[in-house]
Amino acid sequence: MEFTVSKADLVTELSLSQGVVEKKTTIPILSNVLLEAAGDRVTLTATDLELGIRCSCPARVKQEGAGTIPARRLLDYARLLPDGDVNMKFLENHWANITCGRSRTRIAGMSRESFPELPQAPEALVAIPVNVLASLIARTSFAISMEESRFTLNGALLLIQPESITMVATDGHRLAFVQAPSGETGNVDRPFRALVPKKAMAELVKLAEAAGPEAKVILAGDDNHLFFQFDHRLLITRKLTGNFPDYERVLPKDHTLIVKLQKAEIRSAIERVAQFADERSKAIRVQFTSAEVRVFSSSVETGESEESVSCEYQGPDLEIGFNAQYLLDFLRAIPQDQVAFELKNEKSAGEMRPAGENIPDQYRYVVMPMRI
Amino acid sequence: MKTYFHVDMDAFFVSVEELFDPSLKGKPVVVGGRPNERGVVSAASYAARKFGVHSAMPLRTAYQRCPQAVFVDGHPERYREYSHKVYEVLCEFSPVVEMASIDEAYLDMTGTERLLGPPLRAAHRLHQRMKEQTGLNCSIGISASRMVAKIGSDQAKPNGVLWVIPGQEAAFLAPLDVRRVPGVGKVMEKNLHTLGIRKVGDLARLDEDLLSQRFGKWGLALAGKSHGLDAGGWFDSEIGTDVGPKSISHEHTFNEDTADVARLESTLSRLCEMVGRRLREHGLRARTIQLKLRYSDFSTITRAHSIPRGTGIDVELFEEIRDLFRRNWKPGAPVRLLGVHASSWAESAAQLDLTGEERREKWSRALEAADKLRDRFGDSVVSLAASLRGDFRERAHENPAGLPGKK
């Protein structure tokens, strides 16, 4: 195999595959990227057996073929090359000759035969604007559980219906739900559900960014995998198995008390007060009165802090404990200036939503209190 | 200058049994179970100790050493009741009383001279009062440090008083074996012996730096102790500042090894209830739950699981333990001993879960009621149905739930 690519293209596509390449692997081939030259393109493939990515870029192919070389080493080296054309020629012993300007290098590679086969994408299901997918992920992924033992919570639920796309994530203490209108979707005649692993979501964000705001991503799925096609880049992920919690039961139906706040004010107040919350529990107390919302923290080791912000609220005085981090995750995820806090009592779930005008979709964030 | 009493009840379990059955008096008595049962001696009377019987010894060994001894079952509820009585008596003598276990306590007697007289007179009155109110004998160590007071009460046994006059601590300790020092166990004793240190006096002559180099923080504490100072572990904090338990566990040894799943799981359920009760008594929630499993051949495994929110609810403990048991037990292999161990306490602020809070709330209320019933009518009055086949007697325990004076 021999081909020539532009250094810039090679670096861009290789960078996108780095998140997928296994770093600490017991299977050496998984540290490698598979290069395949055919027609007028070269395709780069990487996988950790859970996730797979396949990117391609234009190339002048002198001789078609395939080979694998260490992904990280190739990227580190290619980055340092001067801008211009990079010629790669694979030898019989799986080594690759790399020539660029006056640089010449031979990298030790491995046979392509030992590289795992990636599944083939089935028929496309739906096309989603890339920015919609990215914004669904940005507003839910922080709520995914960090506890590895709760594996059905180590990802987000993706639900596609004829009129909407929904993403839900929870760690058992809080739940983020976003439902966006899908616009012109495609051939979804029945709802499609899948659990997307956390790691895949991180890669999707990178791919969405690289694709640009106008692009669309085409989604497909088989029994075990999901396929996200961003033009010439494809991300394949194993679906998480297991039952996602019944999120509809968790979404509150009967809030009576609504507090409206300026996001910037309450966010800064909580950020400051949280500095003096217990480091592990991050517990703060939030007091809601018709005049203002007051936020308190205290910790034996560090000290105590309190702050108040004005609010719109008609209802009885109420004091509820919360994990400050949970509240901040939401406040940092929304672009809107106003938030509504919907409450019932100090033992029941509270709900936060963006408030005011210009809310294009439905975003609900349910957070359980702390008993203090 | 502080004045501390260490009050240690003489052969506490045996003495309580004698109150209920005076015919036991003066006889070799072994508390803990029948001689042919598995399990260990909880306590032995002075007469039995002469034959080499001591607590923690297997009952069968005790029988070999002293076949004529009277073997009686332990009655934890009696010991708890009498421990409370002892505590009440002690509270007449000082406002600062800390029960260190079911049968011993530290009293801060500083500043009580004008009320109770000098230490020896106060100790004499305490002896009398204890006998009147509880019918029990105790030994009292008096010193300016709690550690010396504790060693003193041991030297004063039985039914004696020993006052180590301030300034004489090091001289008093010097001729004693290093093993007498609280915190020096088998391993430390061996380590010290290899250094040629046998008596506390040898220890006191050593350079502090050498000890701290060799044994770290403990070495330094040891150097302090050898001079009669309170140092290291519990002795670093003041009386009554309750640091609370670090872990809570219960174990059960079967009289005959069993591979009956229903019986094993039922026993685990019962153990979880016992652990849960003590957790609630201390107001704790455990984040690490550990299963201990010993097979017939004495091979032992421990397997732990963490629940980040922590729990003190019997059924939640049991769900974790049963899961650990099912994943780790070799099916069909006879089991000799099961244990449930809870540790790493959750902080007091509890993050609530999106689901399951109602169930948890219900259980909390039910268990609160059950605990009240147990306080009044004994531990066996109410239990989970799952525990019914695992019904066994609670063994007498030196640090049971509900130690008086402990919060």
Side-chain angles (χ1 to χ4, degrees):
Chain A
M1 175 175 66
E2 185 178 354
F3 61 86
T4 305
V5 288
S6 94
K7 177 237 171 172
D9 284 350
L10 182 64
V11 168
T12 306
E13 304 307 324
L14 271 175
S15 305
L16 287 168
S17 64
Q18 290 304 310
V20 175
V21 175
E22 260 298 341
K23 271 142 208 106
K24 287 172 284 181
T25 179
T26 49
I27 311 172
I29 191 77
L30 297 185
S31 308
N32 281 15
V33 57
L34 169 67
L35 298 163
E36 293 165 295
D40 57 355
R41 294 188 84 81
V42 59
T43 305
L44 299 84
T45 306
T47 180
D48 64 359
L49 300 181
E50 292 296 315
L51 268 181
I53 190 166
R54 176 170 277 156
C55 305
S56 70
C57 60
R60 292 196 302 281
V61 179
K62 195 165 167 192
Q63 189 195 353
E64 298 194 339
T68 81
I69 43 178
R72 184 80 229 174
R73 182 156 307 135
L74 178 60
L75 174 63
D76 289 347
Y77 177 71
R79 273 202 181 118
L80 300 170
L81 291 172
D83 287 337
D85 282 349
V86 180
N87 176 270
M88 295 182 73
K89 183 177 182 186
F90 281 70
L91 310 172
E92 284 299 304
N93 61 358
H94 311 306
W95 287 50
N97 271 341
I98 303 176
T99 322
C100 173
R102 299 166 76 167
S103 313
R104 262 204 291 279
T105 295
R106 278 167 13 101
I107 298 188
M110 290 167 80
S111 151
R112 76 136 300 165
E113 273 66 53
S114 43
F115 199 86
E117 206 62 48
L118 262 54
Q120 289 300 313
E123 197 190 339
L125 199 66
V126 60
I128 309 167
V130 157
N131 56 0
V132 169
L133 181 68
S135 105
L136 291 179
I137 295 173
R139 287 181 289 168
T140 52
S141 60
F142 55 79
I144 293 174
S145 178
M146 304 298 273
E147 270 178 67
E148 283 187 11
S149 59
R150 308 183 73 174
F151 47 84
T152 60
L153 302 186
N154 291 156
L157 174 72
L158 177 65
L159 176 63
I160 296 173
Q161 287 161 301
E163 312 79 33
S164 64
I165 306 169
T166 308
M167 194 168 258
V168 188
T170 180
D171 61 6
H173 306 310
R174 37 115 172 230
L175 178 142
F177 167 98
V178 193
Q179 190 162 64
S182 55
E184 10 108 46
T185 39
N187 49 348
V188 181
D189 37 14
R190 59 203 168 90
F192 173 84
R193 281 171 76 102
L195 293 182
V196 190
K198 190 179 172 83
K199 192 176 170 193
M201 291 169 74
E203 297 308 317
L204 286 173
V205 170
K206 289 183 210 161
L207 289 170
E209 204 172 311
E214 302 298 317
K216 289 206 165 153
V217 51
I218 295 162
L219 174 67
D222 64 20
D223 287 348
N224 301 314
H225 304 90
L226 290 172
F227 302 80
F228 296 87
Q229 182 83 53
F230 296 76
D231 194 15
H232 60 281
R233 297 173 188 135
L234 171 68
L235 185 82
I236 305 166
T237 174
R238 223 176 249 284
K239 288 185 200 171
L240 285 181
T241 53
N243 289 326
F244 195 76
D246 181 3
Y247 67 90
E248 277 167 334
R249 238 189 55 204
V250 168
L251 292 171
K253 284 159 200 78
D254 54 343
H255 286 304
T256 42
L257 311 171
I258 301 181
V259 188
K260 284 197 175 145
L261 293 152
Q262 292 299 319
K263 179 191 73 179
E265 286 179 13
I266 185 70
R267 176 178 145 175
S268 323
I270 294 175
E271 279 172 343
R272 285 187 289 262
V273 167
Q275 299 299 312
F276 297 90
D278 176 75
E279 261 178 51
R280 209 157 67 174
S281 74
K282 302 206 176 70
I284 55 168
R285 288 178 296 129
V286 187
Q287 221 176 59
F288 301 91
T289 68
S290 53
E292 57 186 15
V293 169
R294 288 147 71 89
V295 190
F296 303 86
S297 66
S298 74
S299 128
V300 204
E301 287 95 39
T302 49
E304 51 189 44
S305 177
E306 97 170 66
E307 201 153 323
S308 63
V309 299
S310 55
C311 69
E312 277 177 51
Y313 171 58
Q314 277 113 25
D317 291 1
L318 194 58
E319 184 175 298
I320 311 184
F322 282 110
N323 179 324
Q325 189 59 49
Y326 290 178
L327 303 188
L328 289 173
D329 283 340
F330 171 83
L331 294 169
R332 287 169 180 161
I334 56 167
Q336 289 83 5
D337 295 331
Q338 284 192 307
V339 286
F341 215 138
E342 307 185 7
L343 307 159
K344 196 166 159 194
N345 57 42
E346 73 285 351
K347 278 195 235 160
S348 305
E351 181 175 337
M352 297 173 97
R353 301 170 185 248
E357 322 228 312
N358 193 19
I359 298 169
D361 52 17
Q362 203 192 1
Y363 184 21
R364 304 177 67 181
Y365 183 62
V366 182
V367 52
M368 280 305 281
M370 298 185 85
R371 198 183 295 119
I372 295 187
Chain B
M1 174 78 61
K2 288 271 193 183
T3 306
Y4 293 111
F5 279 19
H6 180 255
V7 179
D8 200 4
M9 305 308 293
D10 295 341
F12 181 61
F13 293 172
V14 175
S15 306
V16 172
E17 292 301 334
E18 285 173 357
L19 293 176
F20 286 84
D21 179 2
S23 75
L24 294 174
K25 273 197 181 134
K27 289 184 188 153
V29 178
V30 173
V31 178
R34 306 282 147 208
N36 56 350
E37 273 182 346
R38 281 181 178 177
V40 294
V41 175
S42 293
S45 70
Y46 287 104
R49 288 185 207 181
K50 282 186 188 141
F51 294 90
V53 178
H54 56 77
S55 52
M57 169 183 279
L59 286 164
R60 285 170 189 169
T61 314
Y63 181 70
Q64 282 162 15
R65 297 210 178 165
C66 187
Q68 70 273 39
V70 186
F71 284 78
V72 296
D73 289 337
H75 296 91
E77 67 291 343
R78 289 182 184 170
Y79 312 144
R80 264 197 283 275
E81 183 195 334
Y82 272 83
S83 186
H84 272 94
K85 288 187 180 175
V86 166
Y87 179 67
E88 277 165 26
V89 172
L90 298 176
C91 286
E92 294 173 18
F93 286 80
S94 169
V96 187
V97 178
E98 181 171 334
M99 297 294 286
S101 72
I102 198 165
D103 63 347
E104 59 172 327
Y106 292 91
L107 280 68
D108 187 343
M109 297 293 288
T110 315
T112 61
E113 283 85 354
R114 292 176 67 176
L115 208 61
L116 302 167
L120 281 178
R121 186 176 302 161
H124 182 64
R125 285 171 64 169
L126 203 162
H127 254 144
Q128 283 184 321
R129 188 82 185 131
M130 188 65 80
K131 191 78 185 173
E132 275 168 36
Q133 292 294 307
T134 67
L136 298 170
N137 290 336
C138 60
S139 297
I140 305 172
I142 308 168
S143 167
S145 87
R146 285 169 284 153
M147 197 225 33
V148 175
K150 178 166 170 70
I151 297 174
S153 70
D154 195 34
Q155 299 289 309
K157 276 186 179 301
N159 204 19
V161 177
L162 194 145
W163 181 20
V164 180
I165 298 165
Q168 296 298 307
E169 289 87 355
F172 160 70
L173 294 172
L176 301 178
D177 284 338
V178 282
R179 186 67 187 267
R180 293 272 146 239
V181 176
V184 176
K186 253 189 225 159
V187 177
M188 192 58 156
E189 183 185 33
K190 213 176 132 203
N191 288 337
L192 290 170
H193 280 184
T194 57
L195 289 176
I197 301 166
R198 297 190 164 267
K199 303 288 176 192
V200 183
D202 303 337
L203 206 52
R205 274 191 294 278
L206 275 185
D207 194 29
E208 274 188 12
D209 291 345
L210 182 106
L211 280 168
S212 79
Q213 258 173 34
R214 190 110 189 167
F215 304 113
K217 221 170 65 184
W218 257 112
L220 206 61
L222 209 52
K225 284 177 175 183
S226 70
H227 292 99
L229 303 171
D230 283 331
W234 180 81
F235 291 106
D236 278 337
S237 57
E238 261 308 315
I239 285 191
T241 50
D242 183 15
V243 287
K246 287 195 177 122
S247 68
I248 288 175
S249 64
H250 280 281
E251 294 182 354
H252 178 66
T253 304
F254 293 100
N255 272 326
E256 271 164 38
D257 297 346
T258 178
D260 175 355
V261 186
R263 179 132 180 259
L264 290 167
E265 292 197 355
S266 195
T267 300
L268 287 172
S269 173
R270 175 97 183 87
L271 290 167
C272 286
E273 283 192 274
M274 292 162 77
V275 169
R277 174 154 156 76
R278 287 177 67 202
L279 284 170
R280 292 189 297 278
E281 210 129 22
H282 289 281
L284 296 169
R285 283 175 293 123
R287 296 196 296 135
T288 303
I289 314 295
Q290 185 182 275
L291 167 76
K292 181 170 170 186
L293 208 168
R294 178 169 294 153
Y295 292 106
S296 299
D297 63 357
F298 275 84
S299 64
T300 306
I301 59 164
T302 55
R303 294 288 181 274
H305 188 246
S306 288
I307 23 175
R309 58 169 286 131
T311 185
I313 294 176
D314 303 347
V315 283
E316 290 190 345
L317 292 168
F318 180 53
E319 279 162 14
E320 294 295 330
I321 282 290
R322 188 178 53 190
D323 192 41
L324 286 168
F325 174 74
R326 288 184 179 172
R327 279 190 284 135
N328 292 292
W329 178 53
K330 287 180 274 185
V335 174
R336 178 184 171 84
L337 171 149
L338 288 172
V340 173
H341 178 105
S343 60
S344 58
W345 316 133
E347 59 268 3
S348 56
Q351 173 64 52
L352 304 183
D353 283 353
L354 285 163
T355 55
E357 287 301 336
E358 276 169 34
R359 171 183 187 243
R360 214 163 275 136
E361 180 88 27
K362 274 186 197 162
W363 271 112
S364 297
R365 271 181 298 187
L367 289 170
E368 199 180 308
D371 287 345
K372 278 187 190 148
L373 283 171
R374 289 170 180 152
D375 286 341
R376 285 185 63 180
F377 303 111
D379 276 356
S380 52
V381 69
V382 52
S383 97
L384 294 176
S387 306
L388 287 175
R389 288 199 59 199
D391 193 26
F392 50 82
R393 277 181 298 108
E394 183 192 355
R395 305 229 183 235
H397 199 293
E398 278 188 2
N399 290 294
L403 214 51
K406 286 255 185 191
K407 272 151 223 112

